Structure formats: C-alpha cells, structure tokens
Amino acid sequence: MAQVEKRGGLLRKSSASKKPLKEKVVLMYDEIFMTEDPSKCSPRFWEELFLMKVNLEYLEGKLESLDGEELMKIKDNINCLFQHCIQALGEEHPIRVVNALQTLCALIRGVHQKNKSTSGFDIINMLMGFDKAELCMKNLMESLDSLLCAEGSESLKSLCLKLLLCLVTVTDNISQNTILEYVMINSIFEAILQILSHPPSRREHGYDAVVLLALLVNYRKYESVNPYIVKLSIVDDEATLNGMGLVIAQALSEYNRQYKDKEEEHQSGFFSALTNMVGSMFIADAHEKISVQTNEAILLALYEAVHLNRNFITVLAQSHPEMGLVTTPVSPAPTTPATPLGTTPPSSDVISSVELPLDADVQTSNLLITFLKYSSIVMQDTKDEHRLHSGKLCLIILTCIAEDQYANAFLHDDNMNFRVNLHRMPMRHRKKAADKNLPCRPLVCAVLDLMVEFIVTHMMKEFPMDLYVRCIQVVHKLLCYQKKCRVRLHYTWRELWSALINLLKFLMSNETVLLAKHNIFTLALMIVNLFNMFITYGDTFLPTPSSYDELYYEIIRMHQSFDNLYSMVLRLSTNAGQWKEAASKVTHALVNIRAIINHFNPKIESYAAVNHISQLSEEQALWLMGSQFPDQGLNPGHGNEC
C-alpha cells in the first residue's frame, strides 16, 4: 500500500501517476474563500467545519496570498466564519471549542498581517462587520471568561489565553489595536486573578496570565481610563498577589539559571583554555557571547505590579514556598498557533516544569533577590539597544522600590540578612569574588552593590547617560531614607565614594565628546550632591565616627579630581554658552567639598614637608585629620535635602 504524505493541506500518494488529493478541511477553507456563501449548498457546512482538525498553516497562508481587494470580496464569508467560531465556543463538544479557538487565532493574525497599513477600524469591519462588532466581541469575551473560570479542560484554558495573547499582540503598538476597546469594556480581569490565586491553574497558565495582564494594563494607559489599571491598583488578595510574585520569580529564576549554565560552559570549555594561553585580552568580547534571551514581558509585569499596587511590595520580601516542588501538566495542550512575539517564556515549559531550587549558598530567597540577580546580568551589556532598554526597565523598577516606605523598611531591616550573589562583569584589573565568601547582609547592601557595579563598568564611548542618572537616583533615594529614619547601615561606603569620584574623572576626561550628546552637568551635580549628603548629614546615618574620617580622607586623597571639576565648571559658568546655568549649579554645589579640601590639604602638605615625608600613609593622614578636626563651617544649604 502506497504511503500517504501530508504537506501543505494536500494528501499526496507516493505514486506520481495520480493527482494529489486535498484534505477535506482544506476544501472547506477554499469554499470560504469563494464569494458565494458556503452554507448555501451545504446547510451543515459550519457544523462539519469545526469537527475537522484545523490546518493553521493553510488558512493563514491563504489569507496572506490574497491582496486587499480580493479580501474585501470575501468579507461576508470572513465575518460569517468569525461569528460561527464564537458560536462554537458555547458548544459542549470540546473538539468544536478547540478548533474554533485555533481558527480565531489564525483569522485574527492573518487579517492583521494583511491590513498592517490600514486602520484598526478596517480590521474590525473585515473580521466582524461594524454593525455586529459590539455583540460579537461581547459574546467572545463572555465565552472566554466562562472557559477560563470553569473547572474544565486545562488545554482549553491554555488555548483561551493564547487567543487573548494573539488578539493583544497582533499590532506593533498595542495602543493602536482598536479591537482592545471591546476587551476593556468586557473585562476578563477577574478570570486572570482566579488563575493566579489557585496553585494548580497558576502552574499551568500563570505565565500567560501575568503577561496578558501586563499587556492589557499598557493599552492607552496615558490617554484614557484603563479599567485594568484601576482594578490592578486595588487588588489586596494575598493569594493572588503571591501567585503573581511566584510566576514572575520563576521566570526570572529560569533566566538566571540558563545564564549561569552558559557561563559555566564557557569557563570549562575551549574559552577557558584559550584565556589561559593568551591572557585576558579578549575577555570582554568572549563574555558578550554568553547571551540568553531576556524576558521583557515578565519584567514589564513586575514593573506594573510594583508601580501600581502598593500591596505587591510585601510580596518582594516573601520567600518562595513552592521552590523544589515538582509539578506536571494536567493534560497536554493541543497544537496551538505560535506564541505571540514578546511573550515567549525563557524556556519552553517554565511554569509546569520543576520549580527551581534555591542557591546552594543561600538559605532562603525571594523575588527581590531573584530580580537583583537578573538585573546584574542584564545591565552588564548595554551596547545592544535591546539590552539597554531592558536595563533601563530594571533601574525604573528599582527606583519604584527605593521610593516606597515599606520596601525601604525591609531593605534596611537588620534582622533580614541575605547572601546575594550578583553577577560581575569580567575586568582585567579585578579578580572574581568567591561566592562562598559573600557575607549575609540587609538587602539594601545588594542594591547598593549593584549600583556601584554599574557605575564602575559602563564608563565607555557609548555612554548610557539615562541609565547613570537613574542609578544615582536610586542611591540618593536610599540615602534619603537612611537620613530620615537614622538607619546606620554597616556598608563599605568607600567603594561607592571611589566609584563616584572615578565617574567624575571620566566625565571630565571626555568632556568634549560627551557634551556633544549629553548634559553631563546634570549627572555631575547629582554626584556632588551625594557627597554633600554624606558631609552634611552623615552623622545621622554613617555607622561610626571613623566612617566620617574615611569620607574626608577619600575627598582629600582625590582632591585633584574635585579641583579639576571646579576649574571646568567655573570656566563654563563664566562663558555665555549653553552650559552656563548648568555649570553654575555644580560650582555652587562644590562649596562644602572645597571647604574640606582647602582646610585640610595645606595642613597635610605642611606636616609632610616638616617631617620630610613624600607621601603620608592613610593612617598618618587620618591621625592628622583627627587631631586637627575643625569646625569647618559647612553649609547645610548644600546638603541636598531629601
């Protein structure tokens, strides 16, 4: 018996003497693409169609092959197919429902691909007809809501979410997708929350539900009242918020795990041998090859949750109770259309796969720790525009966290100590820190470490000015909380001071190049004001009196950098150029720092000359400063009040 080969909707026998035969469903599609109503000659046409296995490739290909004029000629049949799909969703027979959902995906995607250059209203007319659009979408959304909330097949729920994701993501700009007006009117918000609040459904569908919610929240969020924004902002159900946090943590953990696996693969393979032979001259380039696809969709979901819902902040600090559990899908999902762009999870089966275990060196973990690790990877490479935007979103999320009073409370809580292993960019002048030597500290230390790491590793030609501004803002907000609440954090502040001074040196060294693209005085002013906070209010949050000595020593040791900065801003503030006002602000902000330098530097130089010492050690300088500690008359007006 000759074998039958199925390809492109054809049933082709191996014998070349016979013509290929088409599948019945393909023949029925061909009838729909005629101008005549297919049910005229066959009254049971629509009933039979949804019993046939959907051929997505053929249906979408057929839509793609037609031009706009040809598509308009069969508009009535397309409308009829769309309406019968919606009717089929109410059928008791699950096969009909599955086929209807898949057909709707193909129709929505196919028609949008054909009408990319036209308005959304043309697409609504093509799919449903203007006169029936409101009723069609009402019925569709009610059917999807019922299927998602019912205790039925998990496969059907999965397909419902895929259809909704398809509907939301068919346009490049979500706010131009006019069909979503009907999704705003006929809300499925409660159905999404129900999925997230129940562990079994969350494991199966949590990822798609969280991504869908994040996308719906962004529909015309600045142009009109978005009901999904309003509803998300007032959610206070603990199970729902925890469920959302678990889904986000799991997706980010999966990314972190994949990156770590690739990193270890590089270190143990050919790359390691090559590095040993030729040194580290190619280490940066080699590191860039350790690339795992970032997950902006889940990052967007985290931002919306943190930004909109104050109650979600509590989820950030909660440990992962489900880590280590093994879950399996209740039932395999039928073949579905390709997942819409930007919604693909980091691995093919994140939510229903094995829950990720905690790090061996960490006793417990939470969403914030997972996010900080993710950020430390993503923010390493900002040369690529895609990762630049991803890093920016990470910093925006951190800004939201640093602004929140409750978040700051647990960030600075000395009773909540964690060992956070951040990823550090390989650099020639420093060794990689041993993971097991990391101390257990409050989480704010990990945030500050991440900011310091960013500062020291991104002084480059393509200067990410916006990211630096956001980074300094995060540090400033954390210091404001410490000053306000008199939190004395035991942190190696010298690393931050050194990083900030080196950043100032970089700005001055590249003044001409950077000024052609950026207002570097905005950043310089922020840095100087951070030092003013330490100088003027450091007694309220620095851990010990010796910390103040170390601050003054660092300023004196690097006085040349501050002197050069003053000379630069003075030069530009006295000229009638475009930077006059911005440079003048930096000039005034340097008052306190210059007062310290002008008081101590002559005394140190005099002591060195009298005692014939070419250069004082740190101990000698600190001793001298301690014995000569004056009332400097520092100006609190330059302390950068919070």
Side-chain angles (χ1 to χ4, degrees):
M1 184 175 176
Q3 284 188 327
V4 177
E5 180 188 350
K6 182 177 175 183
R7 182 181 297 166
L10 303 178
L11 294 175
R12 186 187 302 275
K13 287 193 175 184
S14 58
S15 171
S17 62
K18 296 194 176 182
K19 291 183 179 180
L21 299 174
K22 289 188 176 181
E23 294 177 75
K24 185 174 181 180
V25 72
V26 169
L27 292 171
M28 297 181 83
Y29 290 155
D30 287 343
E31 288 186 54
I32 295 171
F33 284 92
M34 303 289 184
T35 52
E36 292 291 322
D37 181 355
S39 62
K40 272 187 179 180
C41 300
S42 176
R44 292 179 57 83
F45 179 86
W46 298 111
E47 291 179 41
E48 291 179 8
L49 177 65
F50 295 110
L51 288 174
M52 304 287 172
K53 186 178 179 181
V54 179
N55 190 323
L56 290 168
E57 184 183 355
Y58 186 84
L59 184 54
E60 286 192 51
K62 193 74 175 175
L63 285 166
E64 191 178 341
S65 67
L66 301 177
D67 59 31
E69 224 175 278
E70 291 172 324
L71 203 59
M72 281 302 296
K73 287 179 182 177
I74 61 165
K75 182 183 85 69
D76 291 341
N77 283 356
I78 296 291
N79 289 173
C80 204
L81 174 58
F82 197 89
Q83 289 163 25
H84 277 90
C85 283
I86 295 171
Q87 289 175 20
L89 295 182
E91 298 272 354
E92 290 185 8
H93 203 305
I95 293 295
R96 291 180 184 274
V97 180
V98 167
N99 290 332
L101 288 168
Q102 292 182 324
T103 304
L104 282 169
C105 278
L107 264 181
I108 292 167
R109 192 160 48 229
V111 171
H112 270 87
Q113 285 297 320
K114 240 16 249 180
N115 290 269
K116 272 196 169 182
S117 58
T118 63
S119 69
F121 290 108
D122 289 334
I123 291 163
I124 292 172
N125 189 35
M126 180 61 64
L127 287 172
M128 297 166 272
F130 289 135
D131 55 334
K132 297 176 183 175
E134 191 171 337
L135 181 60
C136 273
M137 287 303 296
K138 180 176 181 292
N139 292 336
L140 173 60
M141 297 306 294
E142 285 179 353
S143 295
L144 293 175
D145 187 74
S146 297
L147 289 168
L148 288 171
C149 294
E151 294 184 0
S153 166
E154 297 299 327
S155 299
L156 284 181
K157 290 183 182 181
S158 179
L159 273 177
C160 288
L161 289 168
K162 295 297 183 191
L163 171 59
L164 286 164
L165 284 169
C166 178
L167 187 67
V168 171
T169 59
V170 283
T171 55
D172 293 335
N173 184 341
I174 193 171
S175 295
Q176 293 174 354
N177 188 351
T178 324
I179 293 180
L180 292 188
E181 286 294 337
Y182 301 107
V183 183
M184 296 295 119
I185 297 168
N186 305 286
S187 174
I188 51 160
F189 184 81
E190 285 72 22
I192 294 173
L193 293 198
Q194 183 174 314
I195 289 170
L196 295 174
S197 62
H198 291 84
S201 63
R202 183 180 67 243
R203 294 187 190 105
E204 287 287 334
H205 317 294
Y207 184 89
D208 284 346
V210 164
V211 171
L212 177 62
L213 180 58
L215 292 171
L216 290 172
V217 162
N218 278 275
Y219 176 72
R220 296 187 175 176
K221 65 189 300 186
Y222 302 115
E223 301 168 29
S224 59
V225 177
N226 182 323
Y228 289 86
I229 292 178
V230 177
K231 290 180 178 182
L232 179 59
S233 65
I234 58 175
V235 173
D236 58 0
D237 180 66
E238 189 177 344
T240 302
L241 294 173
N242 286 345
M244 188 183 300
L246 281 166
V247 172
I248 294 170
Q250 209 163 22
L252 296 180
S253 294
E254 173 67 7
Y255 175 90
N256 294 347
R257 185 192 62 76
Q258 288 183 17
Y259 182 88
K260 188 174 181 181
D261 289 347
K262 286 205 172 187
E263 190 178 42
E264 289 174 355
E265 190 179 308
H266 264 67
Q267 289 171 351
S268 61
F270 173 75
F271 165 73
S272 180
L274 180 65
T275 306
N276 289 336
M277 285 190 290
V278 300
S280 57
M281 58 187 295
F282 301 117
I283 194 164
D285 293 333
H287 181 71
E288 287 171 11
K289 294 176 184 176
I290 306 175
S291 179
V292 179
Q293 185 180 355
T294 52
N295 195 331
E296 280 70 34
I298 212 72
L299 210 57
L300 179 65
L302 176 59
Y303 165 71
E304 297 298 353
V306 170
H307 174 61
L308 293 174
N309 193 298
R310 289 293 304 276
N311 300 313
F312 188 80
I313 292 294
T314 62
V315 176
L316 294 173
Q318 292 184 8
S319 59
H320 301 307
E322 294 188 342
M323 289 293 183
L325 297 180
V326 179
T327 60
T328 54
V330 175
S331 58
T335 307
T336 59
T339 306
L341 184 64
T343 62
T344 308
S347 70
S348 59
D349 210 8
V350 174
I351 301 306
S352 59
S353 64
V354 178
E355 300 269 4
L356 295 167
L358 301 181
D359 289 353
D361 294 328
V362 182
Q363 292 182 348
T364 186
S365 187
N366 55 42
L367 174 54
L368 183 57
I369 292 174
T370 304
F371 169 65
L372 289 174
K373 291 181 181 180
Y374 178 91
S375 300
S376 70
I377 298 170
V378 169
M379 293 196 304
Q380 285 182 21
D381 178 22
T382 58
K383 293 177 183 176
D384 173 69
E385 188 177 1
H386 181 79
R387 284 179 173 267
L388 180 70
H389 293 314
S390 193
K392 180 178 177 180
L393 187 49
C394 287
L395 285 167
I396 291 173
I397 294 169
L398 281 170
T399 304
C400 293
I401 293 170
E403 286 174 340
D404 188 88
Q405 187 79 2
Y406 179 81
N408 267 302
F410 71 71
L411 280 174
H412 291 84
D413 190 343
D414 206 31
N415 296 314
M416 294 175 64
N417 292 328
F418 298 88
R419 186 179 290 115
V420 184
N421 178 24
L422 299 176
H423 290 262
R424 304 181 74 199
M425 188 182 293
M427 298 179 77
R428 297 185 189 96
H429 63 276
R430 70 177 183 186
K431 293 181 179 179
K432 186 176 180 180
D435 298 348
K436 57 187 176 184
N437 293 333
L438 292 170
C440 281
R441 302 173 297 171
L443 280 172
V444 67
C445 295
V447 179
L448 289 168
D449 283 348
L450 182 61
M451 297 301 98
V452 170
E453 176 67 12
F454 180 84
I455 291 170
V456 300
T457 56
H458 289 78
M459 300 178 208
M460 53 193 181
K461 185 179 177 182
E462 294 298 323
F463 189 69
M465 179 71 174
D466 187 26
L467 269 59
Y468 266 105
V469 169
R470 294 182 185 279
C471 177
I472 302 300
Q473 284 174 340
V474 170
V475 176
H476 175 243
K477 292 178 189 303
L478 294 174
L479 290 181
C480 284
Y481 176 83
Q482 293 168 26
K483 167 185 169 287
K484 178 183 175 183
C485 299
R486 296 182 174 267
V487 177
R488 298 191 181 277
L489 183 68
H490 289 275
Y491 182 73
T492 50
W493 291 110
R494 181 175 287 188
E495 290 184 7
L496 174 63
W497 300 330
S498 177
L500 293 172
I501 293 170
N502 285 329
L503 178 55
L504 284 175
K505 288 168 67 178
F506 177 82
L507 295 178
M508 289 182 285
S509 301
N510 298 273
E511 173 193 348
T512 307
V513 176
L514 292 176
L515 276 178
K517 298 179 181 179
H518 312 288
N519 178 3
I520 61 173
F521 301 108
T522 301
L523 184 57
L525 180 63
M526 293 174 72
I527 296 168
V528 171
N529 279 336
L530 280 184
F531 277 102
N532 283 333
M533 279 195 72
F534 280 105
I535 294 167
T536 314
Y537 303 109
D539 60 323
T540 63
F541 61 86
L542 285 174
T544 60
S546 63
S547 301
Y548 238 127
D549 295 342
E550 289 174 3
L551 169 65
Y552 278 52
Y553 173 76
E554 201 65 26
I555 291 172
I556 299 299
R557 187 177 71 86
M558 302 299 291
H559 73 90
Q560 194 64 53
S561 298
F562 291 108
D563 291 342
N564 293 341
L565 176 63
Y566 182 75
S567 299
M568 183 182 84
V569 294
L570 187 63
R571 168 171 47 86
L572 290 166
S573 63
T574 52
N575 295 335
Q578 70 176 112
W579 306 116
K580 181 176 181 178
E581 186 178 349
S584 296
K585 291 179 180 178
V586 182
T587 307
H588 295 306
L590 282 165
V591 168
N592 283 345
I593 294 173
R594 285 179 53 75
I596 293 170
I597 293 171
N598 292 336
H599 178 87
F600 281 113
N601 213 39
K603 297 181 184 300
I604 290 173
E605 289 176 357
S606 174
Y607 179 84
V610 170
N611 292 277
H612 306 289
I613 302 172
S614 59
Q615 188 174 355
L616 269 67
S617 66
E618 181 177 345
E619 291 75 17
Q620 289 172 319
L622 288 172
W623 171 81
L624 183 62
M625 289 165 61
S627 64
Q628 302 269 341
F629 217 85
D631 175 13
Q632 280 101 17
L634 301 179
N635 186 353
H638 294 286
N640 193 26
E641 281 280 10
C642 299

